[in-house]
């Protein structure tokens, strides 16, 4: 079974949600016997990787065309900047099915040279909604204007999905929305792929805070949505609960966040943690706080936390939007509700066996199941 997979970015190392989803999906497809032909767009200093090449029969690389010119197109920047004639030529070397990762990679989805091919699009978000929220979370600036324009372009461009034989949505909410918009198309839910295993060395490693219980928030702090959530937690939760230790961990925290954390005696900021140390923080946290103000897609860090942490998970409704993970979390929305939940759960002991039970529940919910892709491919 051969399958072309067009990746909008280098999937390895799986350092953020989109890369995590692609990398672990490739691993599952490879393990199932698929002979993968990878097409990978490189940018932001991403390099060729032996790990992804190991999963493929053949790997092609393309340089993403960033800069001013792709912005001048009527097509969305994320699509136009991945336009490559070489990609089309390489896809036409055979008649194997094609998996387009994200709306980003669909420039040639409607091309007549691909007529008659089985074409599947994995949607990672309702992209125009995602970009609208990016604009909403940015102060008035050229960057915010870019997000607004991109959202408008993506809303119009999304109609290209009519040329897909199969649309693979990432959450139940996205599946429902896309099914309503494209009622005559094969729209399926394809649950996320991620590392759903506990590293034994992490689980048995020394407690990072010398057995002191703590509440953790983690994420890429350079992302405005995560910065906003982290600052909200410090100001509205941690400062109201001085008796408990809070840890904020993630990449590239802004000076403003560093200053806010410094003002709270019970908050420790861990900047740019190494992967293993972050995994240790997640596993040993008494409570993982999972908050977002953006109800889009599905949050890979929520899935990772549920599969890795021996402690409790508190999530708000935006974090649980469009998925069935609420039964695995304590749901709280307002600051008052979160404070009450933290205070209650900090009095209760954690259960190391809970992580194994959650991993099994995630498998039962279909996470890591490739059948929606494999169906009909022989």
């Amino acid at each position: 079974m051969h399958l072309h997979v067009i990746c909008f970015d280098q999937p390895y190392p799986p350092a953020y949600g989109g890369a995590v989803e692609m990398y672990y999906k490739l691993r599952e497809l490879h393990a199932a016997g698929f002979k993968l032909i990878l097409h990978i767009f490189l940018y932001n200093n991403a390099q060729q990787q032996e790990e992804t090449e190991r999963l493929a029969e053949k790997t092609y690389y393309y340089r993403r065309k960033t800069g001013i010119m792709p912005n001048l197109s009527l097509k969305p920047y994320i699509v136009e900047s991945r336009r490559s004639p070489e990609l089309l030529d390489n896809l036409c070397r055979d008649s194997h099915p094609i998996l387009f990762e994200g709306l980003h990679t669909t420039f040639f989805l409607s091309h007549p040279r691909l007529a008659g091919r089985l074409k599947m699009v994995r949607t990672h978000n309702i992209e125009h909604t995602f970009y609208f929220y990016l604009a909403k979370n940015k102060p008035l600036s050229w960057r915010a204007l870019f997000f607004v324009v991109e959202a408008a372009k993506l809303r119009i461009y999304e109609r290209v999905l009519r040329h897909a034989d199969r649309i693979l949505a990432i959450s139940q909410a996205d599946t429902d929305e896309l099914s309503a918009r494209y009622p005559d198309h094969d729209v399926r839910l394809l649950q996320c792929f991620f590392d759903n295993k506990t590293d034994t060395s992490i689980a048995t490693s020394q407690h990072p805070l010398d057995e002191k219980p703590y509440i953790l928030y983690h994420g890429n702090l350079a992302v405005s949505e995560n910065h906003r959530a982290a600052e909200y937690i410090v100001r509205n939760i941690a400062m109201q609960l001085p008796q408990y230790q809070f840890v904020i961990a993630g990449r590239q925290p802004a000076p403003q966040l560093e200053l806010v954390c410094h003002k709270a005696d019970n908050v420790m900021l861990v900047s740019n943690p190494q992967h293993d140390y972050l995994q240790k923080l997640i596993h040993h946290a008494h409570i993982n706080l999972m908050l977002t103000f953006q109800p889009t897609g599905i949050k890979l860090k929520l899935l990772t936390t549920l599969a890795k942490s021996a402690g409790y998970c508190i999530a708000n409704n935006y974090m649980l939007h469009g998925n069935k993970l609420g039964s695995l979390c304590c749901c709280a929305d307002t600051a008052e509700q979160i404070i009450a939940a933290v205070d209650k759960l900090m009095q209760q002991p954690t259960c190391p066996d809970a992580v194994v039970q959650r991993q099994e529940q995630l498998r039962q919910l279909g996470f890591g199941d490739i059948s929606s892709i494999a169906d009909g491919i022989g």
Side-chain angles (χ1 to χ4, degrees):
M1 297 180 290
H2 285 84
L3 177 67
H4 289 273
V5 183
I6 311 173
C7 300
F8 58 81
D9 195 1
Q10 171 61 266
Y12 191 86
Y16 69 98
V20 168
E21 218 281 324
M22 289 191 292
Y23 172 67
Y24 287 101
K25 188 188 308 117
L26 293 177
R27 282 191 17 174
E28 291 295 330
L29 289 167
H30 175 74
F34 277 88
K35 296 178 180 179
L36 301 175
I37 305 165
L38 296 186
H39 305 265
I40 300 175
F41 281 91
L42 299 177
Y43 66 104
N44 284 346
N45 300 316
Q47 302 296 320
Q48 300 180 15
Q49 295 286 348
E50 290 184 5
E51 173 59 21
T52 42
E53 292 174 1
R54 178 185 67 81
L55 302 174
E57 186 174 84
K58 176 71 175 176
T59 304
Y60 297 98
Y61 293 98
Y62 312 90
R63 182 60 57 180
R64 185 181 174 195
K65 298 176 178 64
T66 57
I68 297 296
M69 294 306 295
N71 277 296
L72 302 180
S73 170
L74 293 177
K75 283 188 169 64
Y77 177 80
I78 64 172
V79 177
E80 178 68 27
S81 60
R82 292 178 175 87
R83 175 171 62 90
S84 170
E86 293 80 11
L87 168 62
L88 181 60
D89 289 340
N90 290 331
L91 291 173
C92 291
R93 291 174 182 268
D94 52 60
S95 58
H96 302 317
I98 306 168
L99 174 61
F100 296 79
E101 284 287 353
L103 207 60
H104 317 53
T105 65
T106 59
F107 188 92
F108 296 112
L109 180 63
S110 61
H111 200 282
R113 289 179 66 187
L114 298 182
R117 301 283 286 276
L118 175 59
K119 294 173 286 189
M120 299 176 282
V121 179
R122 175 18 155 212
T123 57
H124 285 247
N125 274 299
I126 303 297
E127 293 294 345
H128 61 267
T129 303
F130 177 71
Y131 273 81
F132 167 77
Y133 276 101
L134 288 178
K136 188 177 179 181
N137 287 331
K138 282 282 185 184
L140 190 60
S141 64
W142 286 110
R143 189 71 172 161
L145 179 61
F146 165 78
F147 289 143
V148 169
V149 172
E150 190 75 350
K153 289 182 179 180
L154 285 162
R155 188 179 185 87
I156 297 170
Y157 178 78
E158 189 198 72
R159 297 169 193 162
V160 76
L161 291 177
R162 292 175 296 182
H163 296 277
D165 299 289
R166 193 176 299 171
I167 302 169
L168 304 169
I170 203 166
S171 71
Q172 187 59 56
D174 287 9
T175 305
D176 295 342
E177 185 171 342
L178 291 169
S179 295
R181 267 208 291 283
Y182 308 100
D184 300 326
H185 285 70
D186 184 2
V187 181
R188 308 184 184 188
L189 171 63
L190 177 64
Q191 298 281 23
C192 281
F193 293 78
F194 64 102
D195 185 6
N196 191 18
K197 297 179 178 64
T198 301
D199 187 333
T200 304
S201 63
I202 296 296
T204 58
S205 62
Q206 184 180 359
H207 192 284
L209 268 65
D210 296 326
E211 303 302 325
K212 184 175 181 180
Y214 59 93
I215 300 102
L216 173 68
Y217 173 81
H218 74 278
N220 180 356
L221 300 175
V223 174
S224 59
E225 175 193 356
N226 296 335
H227 171 99
R228 180 184 174 191
E231 189 170 338
Y232 176 88
I233 288 168
V234 176
R235 292 185 183 278
N236 298 281
I237 313 299
M239 288 184 175
Q240 312 308 314
L241 294 169
Q243 68 273 34
Y244 301 129
Q245 177 70 54
F246 285 75
V247 177
I248 307 293
R251 296 170 52 195
Q252 302 177 24
Q256 178 185 349
L257 180 59
E258 292 178 347
L259 182 61
V260 171
C261 290
H262 182 71
K263 290 180 178 178
D265 294 335
N266 62 329
V267 175
M268 181 173 75
L269 176 64
V270 181
S271 302
N272 304 306
Q274 293 295 316
H275 176 77
D276 286 351
Y277 186 66
L278 179 58
Q279 296 301 302
K280 184 188 292 189
L281 284 171
I282 293 170
H283 180 78
H284 288 284
H286 195 94
I287 297 173
N288 283 272
L289 276 181
M290 295 279 104
L291 303 185
T292 183
F293 300 100
Q294 202 165 297
T296 54
I298 189 168
K299 311 303 181 187
L300 266 297
K301 64 183 178 184
L302 172 60
L303 292 168
T304 300
T305 297
L306 290 172
K308 302 282 188 179
S309 179
Y312 298 100
C313 179
I314 298 175
N316 64 353
N317 273 306
Y318 279 160
M319 182 65 72
L320 299 171
H321 173 74
N323 59 61
K324 298 180 179 179
L325 303 175
S327 63
L328 305 180
C329 307
C330 172
C331 183
D333 274 314
T334 66
E336 292 76 15
Q337 291 171 343
I338 296 168
I339 288 170
V342 168
D343 201 30
K344 177 182 177 181
L345 294 176
M346 288 299 284
Q347 311 307 317
Q348 300 177 8
T350 58
C351 176
D353 293 337
V355 64
V356 178
Q357 296 168 8
R358 286 198 299 263
Q359 288 173 358
E360 178 56 31
Q361 288 174 288
L362 290 170
R363 280 189 287 269
Q364 291 176 6
L365 286 170
F367 291 96
D369 183 0
I370 63 168
S371 59
S372 291
I373 300 174
D375 183 26
I377 300 179

